Amino acid sequence: MIFRGNPALKYLAAGILLILSVFFFLLVEANDDMERSLAYLIVILYLLWMGGRGKYYTFLGVLSTGALVLGYYLSTAPENRSLTTFSASLVTVCAIWIVIYYTRKQKKYLARELKDKKRLDAMFENATEGILMTNQAGDIIMVNKYAEQLFGYSRKELIGEKIEKLIPQRFACKHAKYRDNYHKDPHNRPMGGGSELFALRKNKEEFPVEISLGYFQAEEGIHVIAFILDITERKKASEQLKKEKEITQRLNEELEVRVEGRTRDLEGALRELEVSNGYLKKMEEDLLVALEKERELGEMKSRFVTTASHEFRTPLSTILSSVFLLENYSGEEYEDSKKTHIKRIKRAVKNMTEILNEFLSLSKLEEGRIKASYTHTDIPNCIDEIMDEMESVKKTDQQLIFSHSGDVNVLMFDKQFLRNILINLISNAIKFSNKGDIVEVESNIKSDRLVLKVTDHGIGIPSEDQQYLFKRFFRAHNALNIEGTGLGLNIVKKYVDLMKGEIAFESKPGEGTSFTVTIPTTSNLLPVEKNNIPKVN
């Protein structure tokens, strides 16, 4: 019962019985060393036979050695015991242990090889891809389980068959040549070189595969290992992915066309909207301009009424009082007084006329009814005439001085514009200067411009008021008690702008003011030699 199911113990028991039998044989029957050596040889052969199967041979070796030594002492008389008589037994003991050493070493090697073989067999049989091994002739010599399932053949049906049995007929005829070429230069590589590969099942069904080749050198020659993977599902997925990609690409193209069409529609709508917005914006701007003009017009009318009421009151009062006094001066002795009052009336009427002219000029300029009209104009002579006219309105002991420079005197110029500009500037210089002061007027004609300069030494303009100087109805704080409408410089600025010129000034309170007007003489303003002025009838 103890030995049932345990072969190692059976071998151990058999060995012990064999050694004991030999021991008693030696003790009773053996008469010489030859017989003993024969008995020892039986033990050694048993150990050799048992070496690859049992695991107790070391124990049996010790037991055999003990039995041999004990048998020697029991079978040999004491007087015959010597190294010479024991030499045969000693040789046998050494032989036993040499056999044990090499047997043990061989057993370890075989056990390791067996273990590796089991691992390789497990890998081979349980691989999730088909594995075939062929010899140099192309005969199948090994097949794993997955290859059986893959091709539908049993292992017995494939062993010994040509590998071309698993290849479609249209490829099989060329495969033998490819196989021979591979054996000439074997190396591990994927098969097909980028081409699609197909295999053939037992039911003649073809299916796509992916194959990798390997090899090893055996005694019989080169053996080739083929690793075969069924890529049917992968190919279906790839084809499905390709179809979906094509559908997606087609949908993208359709979407792009729709987007482009929609974009064009939106761009058209946007352009129409921009045009509409442009019209609306222009209408809004025009409306704002009209409203601003209306507001300015209303403001101007209001300021006009206020200014006119204030400015007309003084000359009208002067006229009324002078007329009243003239009515009471009936004798010749009042002749000088009459003349004085008549001059006052004339001066008051002139002031009212100037005020009305300023409002009339401003109205025409605002409405754009005034345009420059260029004629041949002698600039110095025209300014001399203006200076003569201003002599009658200057204050007591004031001096008006005019100087001109430049190679050319005659220009294509609007004479009325020139008069309006200079009369306004000179009138202001006289008005805001004290008695006995000097008012200087300069003109200079250069190659590309006419420069007019009017300088006074009067009250000057406060620095905080200078930025508002050209606005309508504006009057500096130090000039509120001096008659005027606040329109003169605004009118001058508009005349200068009409001729594409510029006006600038420098002023210091208490020291005076200098206005400089620069008007281009190119384009419409063409210089003309004084001696070549055509006569106008």
Side-chain angles (χ1 to χ4, degrees):
M1 296 297 291
I2 297 175
F3 303 130
R4 185 176 296 174
N6 195 338
L9 292 177
K10 292 181 180 179
Y11 295 140
L12 177 61
I16 293 173
L17 291 175
L18 179 61
I19 291 172
L20 290 176
S21 299
V22 170
F23 175 75
F24 286 113
F25 171 75
L26 293 175
L27 185 63
V28 177
E29 299 294 338
N31 295 320
D32 55 17
D33 292 339
M34 181 61 68
E35 293 178 348
R36 294 192 187 102
S37 297
L38 181 61
Y40 300 153
L41 182 59
I42 294 172
V43 175
I44 292 173
L45 290 175
Y46 171 77
L47 290 174
L48 288 174
W49 170 78
M50 182 182 160
R53 295 175 174 82
K55 58 181 179 179
Y56 301 105
Y57 51 84
T58 303
F59 172 74
L60 293 174
V62 172
L63 184 61
S64 299
T65 301
L68 289 172
V69 173
L70 181 60
Y72 173 76
Y73 279 96
L74 292 177
S75 61
T76 306
E79 63 276 7
N80 295 327
R81 295 173 186 168
S82 66
L83 184 60
T84 304
T85 58
F86 184 68
S87 60
S89 298
L90 183 61
V91 170
T92 304
V93 170
C94 291
I96 290 173
W97 283 106
I98 290 173
V99 170
I100 290 173
Y101 170 76
Y102 283 105
T103 302
R104 187 175 183 179
K105 189 174 181 180
Q106 180 68 14
K107 182 179 179 181
K108 288 183 178 179
Y109 172 77
L110 292 175
R112 188 166 57 249
E113 288 291 322
L114 182 61
K115 189 176 182 180
D116 291 342
K117 183 177 184 301
K118 288 181 179 180
R119 289 176 179 174
L120 291 175
D121 289 343
M123 292 173 59
F124 183 78
E125 292 297 332
N126 297 301
T128 56
E129 58 183 20
I131 303 176
L132 300 176
M133 184 182 297
T134 64
N135 58 19
Q136 197 158 355
D139 299 327
I140 300 173
I141 57 177
M142 286 185 70
V143 180
N144 73 339
K145 290 180 180 179
Y146 193 85
E148 292 181 80
Q149 299 172 9
L150 194 63
F151 291 98
Y153 291 99
S154 66
R155 192 167 306 195
K156 292 181 179 180
E157 291 177 308
L158 290 177
I159 299 298
E161 297 291 336
K162 294 290 185 182
I163 189 66
E164 283 78 15
K165 182 177 183 178
L166 304 177
I167 300 174
Q169 187 63 35
R170 63 181 185 278
F171 301 120
C173 55
K174 295 182 180 179
H175 186 265
K177 181 179 179 182
Y178 296 150
R179 176 163 46 80
D180 293 339
N181 292 334
Y182 180 81
H183 282 285
K184 292 177 182 178
D185 181 23
H187 56 279
N188 299 332
R189 64 174 177 85
M191 184 177 174
S195 303
E196 291 186 342
L197 301 177
F198 292 90
L200 186 66
R201 289 193 172 97
K202 183 177 180 180
N203 60 4
K204 305 303 179 182
E205 177 188 354
E206 292 186 11
F207 62 99
V209 292
E210 190 176 83
I211 301 175
S212 297
L213 298 178
Y215 77 100
F216 71 94
Q217 184 71 42
E219 294 180 0
E220 302 86 358
I222 294 175
H223 288 179
V224 179
I225 305 172
F227 301 90
I228 306 167
L229 186 63
D230 185 357
I231 59 171
T232 302
E233 296 301 323
R234 186 202 301 177
K235 195 170 182 63
K236 287 180 180 179
S238 177
E239 291 176 355
Q240 182 65 26
L241 183 62
K242 184 177 179 181
K243 290 179 181 179
E244 291 178 357
K245 186 176 180 181
E246 291 175 354
I247 293 172
T248 303
Q249 185 176 358
R250 185 169 63 254
L251 291 175
N252 286 338
E253 291 174 355
E254 294 176 358
L255 183 60
E256 287 178 1
V257 172
R258 292 182 181 179
V259 169
E260 289 177 358
R262 185 59 177 166
T263 302
R264 286 194 297 271
D265 294 341
L266 291 175
E267 288 176 351
L270 183 61
R271 285 193 295 270
E272 293 176 0
L273 185 60
E274 288 176 351
V275 172
S276 300
N277 287 341
Y279 289 147
L280 292 175
K281 188 174 181 180
K282 189 174 185 309
M283 290 175 64
E284 181 183 4
E285 291 175 353
D286 293 343
L287 183 59
L288 290 175
V289 171
L291 290 174
E292 182 65 21
K293 287 185 177 180
E294 188 67 24
R295 187 188 64 78
E296 291 177 356
L297 182 59
E299 181 184 351
M300 188 174 68
K301 288 179 180 179
S302 177
R303 295 293 296 272
F304 171 75
V305 172
T306 303
T307 304
S309 299
H310 179 269
E311 295 297 328
F312 286 175
R313 185 182 299 116
T314 301
L316 286 173
S317 299
T318 301
I319 293 172
L320 183 61
S321 61
S322 296
V323 169
F324 176 76
L325 291 173
L326 284 174
E327 289 178 348
N328 295 309
Y329 292 154
S330 58
E332 293 182 359
E333 65 275 14
Y334 300 111
E335 192 65 31
D336 291 337
S337 297
K338 288 180 179 180
K339 290 181 180 180
T340 300
H341 288 296
I342 289 172
K343 286 182 179 179
R344 290 178 62 192
I345 291 171
K346 288 181 178 180
R347 188 164 56 250
V349 171
K350 185 175 183 181
N351 287 340
M352 293 176 64
T353 303
E354 289 177 354
I355 293 171
L356 291 173
N357 285 337
E358 286 182 353
F359 280 112
L360 182 61
S361 296
L362 179 61
S363 176
K364 289 181 179 179
L365 287 169
E366 290 287 345
E367 295 173 1
R369 290 190 292 160
I370 295 180
K371 304 292 182 183
S373 178
Y374 297 100
T375 58
H376 294 90
T377 303
D378 190 323
I379 302 299
N381 287 342
C382 183
I383 297 177
D384 280 332
E385 292 175 2
I386 296 170
M387 296 295 285
D388 290 339
E389 293 179 16
M390 301 308 295
E391 285 288 338
S392 61
V393 298
K394 71 180 182 179
K395 295 180 181 178
T396 305
D397 296 330
Q398 282 186 338
Q399 298 181 45
L400 303 180
I401 300 175
F402 169 61
S403 63
H404 174 74
S405 61
D407 298 331
V408 178
N409 292 342
V410 179
L411 297 175
M412 291 292 292
F413 211 85
D414 190 310
K415 187 175 182 179
Q416 190 60 43
F417 279 17
L418 180 61
R419 285 180 57 82
N420 292 339
I421 292 170
L422 286 177
I423 287 174
N424 271 288
L425 293 177
I426 295 172
S427 296
N428 285 344
I430 293 171
K431 188 189 303 181
F432 299 113
S433 296
N434 298 319
K435 296 178 180 180
D437 284 348
I438 296 174
V439 176
E440 302 175 46
V441 179
E442 302 175 27
S443 64
N444 177 262
I445 300 176
K446 297 184 178 181
S447 60
D448 59 346
R449 63 188 180 275
L450 167 64
V451 181
L452 303 173
K453 189 173 183 181
V454 178
T455 305
D456 67 66
H457 304 280
I459 63 175
I461 305 169
S463 58
E464 64 270 17
D465 293 337
Q466 291 182 7
Q467 58 180 323
Y468 309 109
L469 198 60
F470 295 104
K471 291 187 176 295
R472 285 196 301 263
F473 301 107
F474 178 78
R475 306 200 70 199
H477 292 91
N478 60 348
L480 295 177
N481 296 325
I482 301 175
E483 64 181 13
T485 61
L487 295 174
L489 289 177
N490 180 263
I491 292 173
V492 169
K493 180 73 166 59
K494 291 185 180 298
Y495 278 123
V496 172
D497 290 342
L498 282 174
M499 292 188 291
K500 300 179 181 179
E502 296 178 354
I503 182 170
F505 68 92
E506 296 179 357
S507 181
K508 290 184 179 180
E511 296 184 13
T513 304
S514 176
F515 281 90
T516 302
V517 176
T518 304
I519 299 173
T521 59
T522 56
S523 184
N524 291 331
L525 306 181
L526 302 176
V528 181
E529 295 296 335
K530 185 174 181 179
N531 296 332
N532 295 331
I533 301 174
K535 295 182 179 181
V536 179
N537 296 325

